[in-house]
C-alpha cells in the first residue's frame, strides 16, 4: 500500500494538516502517517500528538508539507530528512505556505512553484531561484508538487490520487469531499486585487479618480489632463509606480468592480459590463477571463451560488 507521511511542526495550519490526512484516507488506497521533529505540536488553538518521528521519511512513498508560519525557522533535521527522501526518489508535495519549508531545502530551485497568493511575493523574494506562479491552484513537477492555499490543497491531493489510481478513485474522493474533481480557473479568481500604487505615491490621487470614474469612457489624454502631465510622462510614471499601463490598470479596476457586483447582485452580465465601463458583454467576458482566470458566470456561481 502506498505510504504517505504528513509532516507536522509548531505553527502548522490545521486545515492544511487535515486535508491530506483525510483526502488520502478516503480512498482506502493509502496508509497515512503523521510525523514530526517532536511528539507534541503547537497548532495554535490546540495541540497535536505526533505518533512518529522523522525516521519514517526514509521509507514512505509520498511526503506532504502542510502550511506553517513562513517566519518559522525550519529545524535542520527536517531539511536533512527531506533532502535524503528526495534523493531516494520520494514524492514531496507542499500545501499553502508549506512551500516555504519545501523551498528551504533547495529542492525547488529552478522550478515553477506556487503558494497562497498572500505569500507569493515573499516566497519569490526570499528564494529568487524559484519561478513563483501565484495564479494557479497547484504545480506538478513530477517528483515535486506545490499548491496554493487552503482548498487548493484538496485540489492537489485529488490530482495526486488520480495520478496514482486513476480518475474513478479520485472522483469518489471528490464526491466524498462534496467538490468537483477539477475546479475551473486558478487562484486569480479569488484574489481581490488591491490598488497597486503605494499609499502617498504621486499617482495616488489619479488612481482614486480613475476608480471612481471607471464606468466612463476614459482616454489617455483625459487621464493626462487630470494628472497635470503629458501623456508620455504619465505612461512613464505609471510604469514606475504601478508596474503597468493606465489602460491595464483601468481594466483591473473595472474587473474589481464587476467582481463586487457579481458577488452581491443578480444583475445580468450584460448590465454589469455596461455599469463598469466595458463597451460590450463580449469584451467584458474576455477581459474578466484574462484577469480573474474564470468566466463571470463561474465566478458568480462560486461566490454567490447562482448563475445568470
Amino acid at each position: 500500500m502506498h505510504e504517505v507521511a504528513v509532516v507536522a511542526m509548531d505553527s502548522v495550519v490545521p486545515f492544511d494538516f487535515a486535508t491530506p490526512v483525510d483526502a488520502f484516507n478516503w480512498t482506502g488506497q493509502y496508509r497515512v502517517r503523521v510525523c514530526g521533529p517532536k511528539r507534541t505540536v503547537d497548532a495554535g488553538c490546540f495541540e497535536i500528538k505526533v505518533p512518529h518521528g522523522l525516521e519514517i521519511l526514509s521509507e514512505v512513498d509520498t511526503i506532504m508539507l502542510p502550511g506553517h508560519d513562513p517566519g518559522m525557522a525550519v529545524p535542520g533535521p527536517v531539511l536533512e530528512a527531506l533532502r535524503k527522501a528526495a534523493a531516494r526518489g520520494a514524492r514531496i508535495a507542499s500545501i499553502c505556505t508549506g512551500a516555504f519549508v519545501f523551498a528551504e531545502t533547495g529542492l525547488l530551485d529552478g522550478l515553477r512553484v506556487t503558494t497562497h497568493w498572500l505569500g507569493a511575493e515573499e516566497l519569490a523574494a526570499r528564494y529568487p531561484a524559484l519561478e513563483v506562479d501565484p495564479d494557479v491552484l497547484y504545480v506538478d513537477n513530477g517528483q515535486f508538487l506545490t499548491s496554493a492555499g487552503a482548498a487548493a490543497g484538496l485540489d492537489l491531493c485529488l490530482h495526486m490520487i488520480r495520478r496514482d489510481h486513476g480518475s474513478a478513485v479520485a472522483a469518489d474522493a471528490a464526491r466524498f469531499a462534496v467538490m468537483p474533481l477539477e475546479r475551473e480557473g486558478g487562484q486569480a479568481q479569488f484574489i481581490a486585487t488591491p490598488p497597486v500604487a503605494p499609499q502617498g505615491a504621486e499617482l495616488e490621487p489619479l488612481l482614486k479618480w480613475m476608480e471612481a470614474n471607471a464606468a466612463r469612457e476614459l482616454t489617455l489624454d483625459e487621464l493626462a489632463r487630470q494628472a497635470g502631465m503629458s501623456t508620455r510622462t504619465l505612461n512613464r510614471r505609471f510604469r514606475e509606480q504601478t508596474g503597468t499601463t493606465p489602460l491595464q490598470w483601468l481594466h483591473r479596476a473595472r474587473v474589481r468592480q464587476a467582481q463586487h457586483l457579481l458577488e452581491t447582485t443578480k444583475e445580468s452580465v450584460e448590465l454589469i459590463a455596461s455599469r463598469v465601463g466595458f463597451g460590450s458583454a463580449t469584451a467584458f467576458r474576455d477581459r474578466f477571463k484574462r484577469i480573474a482566470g474564470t468566466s463571470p458566470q463561474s465566478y458568480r456561481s462560486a461566490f454567490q451560488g447562482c448563475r445568470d
Side-chain angles (χ1 to χ4, degrees):
M1 185 172 283
H2 191 117
E3 295 205 338
V4 177
V6 181
V7 180
M9 298 177 284
D10 286 338
S11 82
V12 67
V13 178
F15 189 96
D16 296 349
F17 167 77
T19 294
V21 173
D22 279 346
F24 290 111
N25 269 327
W26 287 333
T27 69
Q29 303 293 326
Y30 300 86
R31 180 188 181 198
V32 182
R33 293 190 279 174
V34 175
C35 70
K38 59 182 187 177
R39 295 304 174 90
T40 301
V41 167
D42 180 3
C45 57
F46 56 86
E47 291 184 337
I48 298 173
K49 295 297 183 181
V50 178
H52 300 285
L54 296 173
E55 66 277 358
I56 71 167
L57 298 185
S58 66
E59 57 192 56
V60 297
D61 304 290
T62 293
I63 299 169
M64 301 298 298
L65 302 174
H68 288 79
D69 177 0
M72 173 196 72
V74 185
V78 173
L79 298 176
E80 182 181 359
L82 291 173
R83 293 179 185 123
K84 286 183 177 179
R88 67 173 177 80
R91 180 174 61 179
I92 304 176
S94 64
I95 296 174
C96 193
T97 52
F100 285 83
V101 177
F102 205 168
E104 189 67 21
T105 65
L107 296 170
L108 295 178
D109 288 359
L111 298 180
R112 177 170 165 260
V113 304
T114 194
T115 187
H116 193 291
W117 63 271
L118 280 173
E121 187 174 345
E122 182 181 352
L123 183 68
R126 195 185 299 182
Y127 302 100
L130 309 185
E131 180 189 343
V132 180
D133 185 345
D135 294 331
V136 295
L137 294 174
Y138 57 82
V139 177
D140 183 347
N141 286 295
Q143 184 183 3
F144 303 141
L145 304 90
T146 55
S147 81
L154 187 51
D155 291 295
L156 174 65
C157 290
L158 292 173
H159 167 74
M160 295 167 73
I161 292 167
R162 181 168 54 184
R163 211 174 83 175
D164 293 341
H165 298 289
S167 295
V169 174
D172 284 342
R175 279 192 290 271
F176 199 92
V178 195
M179 70 172 289
L181 183 54
E182 287 188 1
R183 285 193 288 158
E184 182 179 355
Q187 284 196 89
Q189 63 185 298
F190 302 106
I191 299 173
T193 310
V196 290
Q199 195 169 26
E202 180 186 10
L203 289 180
E204 185 183 8
L206 175 64
L207 298 184
K208 289 181 178 179
W209 183 87
M210 290 172 66
E211 191 89 44
N213 292 274
R216 294 176 45 203
E217 184 177 346
L218 301 177
T219 66
L220 185 61
D221 286 339
E222 184 176 3
L223 296 178
R225 285 195 301 271
Q226 182 68 27
M229 57 185 70
S230 68
T231 56
R232 183 175 179 180
T233 300
L234 176 64
N235 274 323
R236 185 175 71 251
R237 299 284 169 80
F238 235 89
R239 282 287 185 190
E240 293 170 352
Q241 295 181 36
T242 73
T244 189
T245 66
L247 182 59
Q248 292 298 323
W249 195 97
L250 183 59
H251 284 324
R252 288 188 172 273
R254 287 169 171 164
V255 167
R256 285 198 301 274
Q257 293 178 8
Q259 286 175 314
H260 175 72
L261 293 173
L262 288 165
E263 292 172 23
T264 60
T265 76
K266 296 185 182 296
E267 293 177 354
S268 69
V269 168
E270 288 74 17
L271 180 56
I272 289 174
S274 176
R275 284 189 59 183
V276 300
F278 285 93
S280 70
T282 300
F284 167 61
R285 287 187 175 94
D286 179 66
R287 184 61 58 178
F288 192 96
K289 178 80 172 180
R290 290 192 212 175
I291 293 175
T294 190
S295 69
Q297 292 92 337
S298 294
Y299 183 90
R300 169 170 276 170
S301 179
F303 283 90
Q304 195 186 81
C306 66
R307 290 186 182 273
D308 293 315

